[in-house]
Amino acid sequence: MPTPQIVTPASALAPKERLIIALDVPSAAEAQKVVLQIGDAAVFYKVGFQLFTVAGPDFVRELASSGKKIFLDLKVHEIPNTAAAAVKSAASLNVQMVTVHASGGSKMLRAAVEAATSAGQTQGKDAPVILAVTVLTSLANEDLPEIGLNVSAREQVVRLAKVAHSAGCGGVVASPEEVGAIRNAVGEQMLIVTPGIRPAGSEKGDQSRIATPAEAIRSGATHLVVGRPITKASDPAEAARNIVNEIAGAK
Ligand code: C5P
């Protein structure tokens, strides 16, 4: 059993630190434009497959050295040795969060946590938080039997959150609907990062299980991931500030 990751509780985070903007854009130039438009209205960005595949580690290093925090959403799902190596590489880019799939099992999760801890010790700084992805938010109950799961999505989410907790992961990614059930199952010590956030009146896009920023915070989310409602807004900085204000008012 690795030493569980210690994370900063939501009560000690400024509202601005709880908003993560998803840089789901196809090039480094477009991502830089978004970051510039947002300015100091936000500090935390998510870099996922789309951007990382084209812009790569250089973009991530640059964003980190400009003082931004980074959630590297690589959704690692590998044999433990390879998962640990991927986490070690991610830690070398100075990111704050890395995702792994909880369905990779506890050996893989423990290897990821140990790699993060040891990278933090070697570099003399906080280890990246290993965030476990439970069930993809695009999967509904009726999609689970074909992949051999004869339980509801919620049961599977809670089951995997418990596996992640026992393996020492610092947090999980979950849809707003699942936050309460996860909190009950794992207690207050883990981060819960939720996509599927739609400020009142904005487009749903392809999100189905959605909540407003205030609803997600009140149900126990520590961080919100918001993409298009900010990046596609006519004034992204204002959209970000409005969400930060909503987070601040949702206590
Ligand atoms: O929909 P939005 O642009 O706010 O999405 C932000 C992030 O939320 C995406 O980068 C994606 O990883 C995640 N997402 C999700 N489930 C969906 C759609 C998006 O978890 N159905």
Side-chain angles (χ1 to χ4, degrees):
M1 164 84 188
T3 313
Q5 293 195 299
I6 308 287
V7 295
T8 310
S11 57
L13 293 172
K16 208 197 258 193
E17 294 174 282
R18 301 176 68 178
L19 170 63
I20 305 175
I21 300 180
L23 286 174
D24 294 329
V25 293
S27 69
E30 283 181 63
Q32 277 149 358
K33 189 174 150 207
V34 173
V35 174
L36 204 65
Q37 281 176 319
I38 289 170
D40 62 8
V43 289
F44 218 140
Y45 288 92
K46 182 177 90 118
V47 176
F49 287 136
Q50 182 190 17
L51 182 58
F52 193 69
T53 306
V54 291
D58 287 343
F59 172 80
V60 173
R61 275 193 212 97
E62 248 172 62
L63 193 59
S65 64
S66 73
K68 302 300 183 192
K69 294 185 172 187
I70 298 161
F71 165 9
L72 192 56
D73 191 14
L74 295 183
K75 296 192 174 68
V76 176
H77 192 169
E78 258 292 359
I79 59 169
N81 191 53
T82 308
V87 167
K88 187 176 173 193
S89 294
S92 77
L93 303 179
N94 293 324
V95 303
Q96 276 67 37
M97 297 172 173
V98 184
T99 40
V100 299
H101 270 286
S103 51
S106 53
K107 281 191 204 134
M108 188 201 79
L109 296 172
R110 284 199 300 268
V113 170
E114 276 162 12
T117 305
S118 101
Q121 283 163 354
T122 309
Q123 297 165 15
K125 55 177 200 205
D126 288 346
V129 175
I130 300 297
L131 289 182
V133 176
T134 55
V135 178
L136 292 176
T137 55
S138 52
L139 291 173
N141 285 336
E142 57 271 25
D143 298 317
L144 300 186
E146 76 167 4
I147 54 168
L149 296 171
N150 293 307
V151 289
S152 70
R154 176 174 296 229
E155 282 171 86
Q156 184 66 2
V157 165
V158 169
R159 177 189 198 106
L160 290 175
K162 287 183 184 162
V163 172
H165 182 245
S166 316
C169 295
V172 293
V173 181
S175 93
E177 282 179 8
E178 293 147 1
V179 172
I182 293 175
R183 270 280 167 250
N184 285 339
V186 303
E188 295 302 315
Q189 295 309 311
M190 289 179 98
L191 301 184
I192 304 182
V193 178
T194 52
I197 302 299
R198 287 295 175 266
S202 65
E203 289 287 318
K204 273 179 78 171
D206 55 2
Q207 297 280 27
S208 50
R209 290 179 276 165
I210 56 172
T212 66
E215 285 166 350
I217 293 289
R218 284 199 201 101
S219 66
T222 57
H223 295 77
L224 311 182
V225 177
V226 186
R228 290 160 290 183
I230 293 176
T231 57
K232 303 247 183 265
S234 55
D235 184 343
E238 190 197 17
R241 277 193 294 270
N242 288 342
I243 293 177
V244 170
N245 288 338
E246 198 174 328
I247 293 172
K251 282 172 196 155

